[in-house]
């Protein structure tokens, strides 16, 4: 198995409103443990994460019974703004949750390297690359996050297509989409790009069917040629699928979370590039469509020299703030948040593909089993290799590409400049 935003000051709020603290303080001058560790995330308030949080807290309490842990669930759409304010002030939570990739790497100056604290977990957990920078690990992976192409097997059967044999080439895929729409009235793709995130899923979900393996690996390694025919073709496809009417109406006014996935769940679209974990994933879709009707397909071949693979990385992970007063204690809380029992609960109740490689997820249904089978040959997602600034720009340009207000060449030139500056 593979192991692998600039801070905004527009939203400034007193940090006391959002929780800050450390377990080591003046009341612990005798050297004993006590006080409070504060955790910021956007997951602990979710009902599906309740058992995960309780298991993590129980694991930590068994080791540190006199230390209180306070979880402060922040709204995701404001999370990184609030975190930026905390970082600028140099005080805030002891432990904080990150998406893997640029959101973490852009903030490593505010985080403690955790290599020594997490050494015992390196073999058990996967997805480290998304939480690493400059040779150091800055967070422990909780989930593996990837971007499978899901399809509705019931719609395939209704359209007279073989539900167990989705198209392997882009040409055949387009033909199947036409047949699906004619027979069922469903759109080919469910897509929401109101937040500018749809392009990220599109790039990573379909990119391995366009780029050669060498181009793909070079992109991940940072050697990105934004003028190459393969990269250009991905962004052309983004615009062409909209122009050809393959998407649901109003993509730029449709939120990905959770309107895009509601379209797929309702059977109004035959395909969606979703997630492996937490939301917009196999568990959500199975509850609406039935596990037997949720399929997972490789990226259709656009380029015959490409080699489709599952795009995935470490999904979310917890890191430790550099200002915490007891780094070892905070790091131990991170270890509890990635403990086997906690991650088992997160998988069972939230449908997360946990970063713990010892969890057996093969009994969760055919889609899950296929995802797990694809992980050993998977590669990091293309969009995760980009900086937060470039991803933000790509989101704006993706909306303009769909509306026709920018050309593919102009968009790629702007992205190349941003990527080089990062």
């Amino acid at each position: 198995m593979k192991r692998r935003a600039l801070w905004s000051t527009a939203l400034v709020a007193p940090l006391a409103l959002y929780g800050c603290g450390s377990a080591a303080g003046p009341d612990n001058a005798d050297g004993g443990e006590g006080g409070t560790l504060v955790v910021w995330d956007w997951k602990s308030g979710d009902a599906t994460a309740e058992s995960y949080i309780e298991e993590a807290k129980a694991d930590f309490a068994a080791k540190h019974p006199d230390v209180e842990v306070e979880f402060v669930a922040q709204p995701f759409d404001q999370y990184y703004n609030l975190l930026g304010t905390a970082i600028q002030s140099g005080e805030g939570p002891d432990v904080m949750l990150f998406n893997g990739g640029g959101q973490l790497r852009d903030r490593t100056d505010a985080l403690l390297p955790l290599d020594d604290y997490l050494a015992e977990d390196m073999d058990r957990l996967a997805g480290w690359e998304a939480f690493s920078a400059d040779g150091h690990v800055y967070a422990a992976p909780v989930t593996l996050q990837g971007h499978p192409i899901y399809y509705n097997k019931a719609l395939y059967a209704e359209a007279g297509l073989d539900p167990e044999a989705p198209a392997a080439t882009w040409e055949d895929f387009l033909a199947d989409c036409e047949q699906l729409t004619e027979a069922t009235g469903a759109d080919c793709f469910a897509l929401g790009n109101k937040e500018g995130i749809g392009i990220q899923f599109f790039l990573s979900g379909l990119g391995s069917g366009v780029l050669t393996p060498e181009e793909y690996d070079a992109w991940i390694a940072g050697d990105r040629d934004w003028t190459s025919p393969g990269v250009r073709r991905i962004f052309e496809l983004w615009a062409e699928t909209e122009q050809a009417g393959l998407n649901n109406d109003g993509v730029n006014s449709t939120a990905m979370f959770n309107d895009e996935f509601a379209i797929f769940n309702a059977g109004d679209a035959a395909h969606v590039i979703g997630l492996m974990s937490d939301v917009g994933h196999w568990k959500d879709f199975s509850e609406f469509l039935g596990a037997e009707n949720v399929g997972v397909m490789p990226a259709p071949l656009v380029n015959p020299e490409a080699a489709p693979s599952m795009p995935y990385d470490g999904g979310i992970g917890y890191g430790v703030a550099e200002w915490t007063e007891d780094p070892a204690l905070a790091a131990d809380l991170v270890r509890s948040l990635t403990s086997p029992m906690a991650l088992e609960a997160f998988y069972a109740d939230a449908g997360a593909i946990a970063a713990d490689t010892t969890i057996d997820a093969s009994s969760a249904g055919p889609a899950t089993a296929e995802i797990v089978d694809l992980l050993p040959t998977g590669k990091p997602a293309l969009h995760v290799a980009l900086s937060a600034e470039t991803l933000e720009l790509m989101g704006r340009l993706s909306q303009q590409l769909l509306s026709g207000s920018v050309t593919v060449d102009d968009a790629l030139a702007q992205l190349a400049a941003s990527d080089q500056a990062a």
Side-chain angles (χ1 to χ4, degrees):
M1 182 176 293
K2 301 279 185 182
R3 300 212 310 175
R4 347 228 219 267
L6 286 179
W7 309 332
S8 171
T9 58
L11 180 58
V12 179
L15 293 178
L17 293 178
Y18 300 101
C20 58
S22 181
D27 56 333
N28 298 312
D30 60 357
E33 287 189 338
T36 302
L37 284 174
V38 174
V39 182
W40 279 13
D41 62 19
W42 61 87
K43 282 294 177 187
S44 57
D46 293 352
T48 56
E50 182 177 353
S51 61
Y52 160 64
I53 296 298
E54 290 306 312
E55 288 287 353
K57 290 171 70 174
D59 184 86
F60 185 75
K63 297 178 287 186
H64 307 283
D66 297 326
V67 179
E68 180 183 351
V69 178
E70 177 186 352
F71 283 84
V72 182
Q74 308 284 13
F76 180 71
D77 60 351
Q78 301 175 38
Y79 183 78
Y80 288 107
N81 286 337
L82 294 170
L83 200 55
T85 302
I87 289 171
Q88 285 189 320
S89 71
E91 60 178 315
D94 301 280
V95 173
M96 37 196 152
L97 185 64
F98 286 94
N99 296 103
Q103 295 290 11
L104 174 121
R105 294 184 183 122
D106 286 354
R107 297 169 171 85
T108 54
D109 286 348
L111 298 172
L112 289 176
L114 298 179
D115 309 66
D116 294 339
Y117 299 111
L118 304 178
E120 294 181 28
D121 302 319
M122 290 294 177
D123 291 335
R124 179 175 59 88
L125 301 177
W128 293 101
E129 290 180 8
F131 301 102
S132 302
D134 301 321
H136 293 289
V137 170
Y138 289 93
V142 172
T143 65
L144 300 179
Q145 191 58 278
H147 303 277
I149 304 172
Y150 294 98
Y151 67 98
N152 186 327
K153 291 184 178 182
L155 289 178
Y156 267 61
E158 184 180 345
L161 300 170
D162 185 350
E164 305 305 325
T169 68
W170 185 251
E171 291 79 9
D172 289 343
F173 178 75
L174 292 179
D176 285 355
C177 284
E178 183 177 359
Q179 189 168 334
L180 280 159
T181 299
E182 288 181 356
T184 70
D187 293 312
C188 181
F189 280 114
L191 182 59
N193 198 49
K194 183 177 181 179
E195 313 96 327
I197 304 174
I199 184 64
Q200 298 180 24
F201 285 38
F202 190 90
L203 170 64
S204 291
L206 295 176
S208 67
V210 182
L211 303 181
T212 66
E214 295 76 19
E215 288 176 305
Y216 197 111
D217 293 343
W219 176 287
I220 298 300
D223 184 15
R224 290 181 278 275
D225 181 2
W226 291 89
T227 65
S228 75
V231 173
R232 190 178 197 283
R233 187 64 187 130
I234 294 172
F235 284 83
E236 287 176 340
L237 290 175
W238 170 257
E240 289 174 6
T241 54
E242 176 72 5
Q243 294 162 3
L246 300 183
N247 304 323
N248 50 269
D249 293 336
V251 168
N252 279 342
S253 59
T254 300
M256 172 177 285
F257 301 102
N258 285 311
D259 294 346
E260 170 185 323
F261 302 125
I263 292 169
F264 182 71
N265 281 330
D268 293 332
H271 308 88
V272 68
I273 304 174
L275 296 168
M276 278 174 19
S277 292
D278 300 314
V279 66
H281 65 329
W282 57 273
K283 187 175 179 68
D284 282 351
F285 301 149
S286 295
E287 291 174 355
F288 284 89
L289 304 177
E292 72 281 3
N293 290 321
V294 181
V296 175
M297 63 183 291
L301 274 173
V302 178
N303 175 4
E305 296 181 5
S309 60
M310 172 65 71
Y312 84 97
D313 298 84
I316 56 175
Y318 285 95
V320 175
E322 58 88 19
W323 55 74
T324 191
E325 295 187 30
D326 192 334
L329 190 64
D332 217 22
L333 177 55
V334 169
R335 295 197 68 204
S336 291
L337 287 160
T338 54
S339 61
M341 290 299 292
L343 295 185
E344 175 74 34
F346 205 21
Y347 153 68
D349 291 348
I353 301 294
D356 191 331
T357 60
T358 66
I359 293 175
D360 180 10
S362 60
S363 62
T368 317
E370 187 162 357
I371 289 170
V372 172
D373 286 345
L374 291 171
L375 292 180
T377 57
K379 292 188 174 185
L382 293 171
H383 77 271
V384 176
L386 301 175
S387 70
E389 303 99 301
T390 300
L391 288 175
E392 183 178 353
L393 173 62
M394 189 166 71
R396 295 196 301 271
L397 290 171
S398 71
Q399 295 170 332
Q400 295 171 25
L401 283 167
L402 293 183
S403 67
S405 59
V406 70
T407 66
V408 169
D409 287 336
D410 187 22
L412 292 177
Q414 292 184 54
L415 289 167
S418 174
D419 192 25
Q420 185 176 9

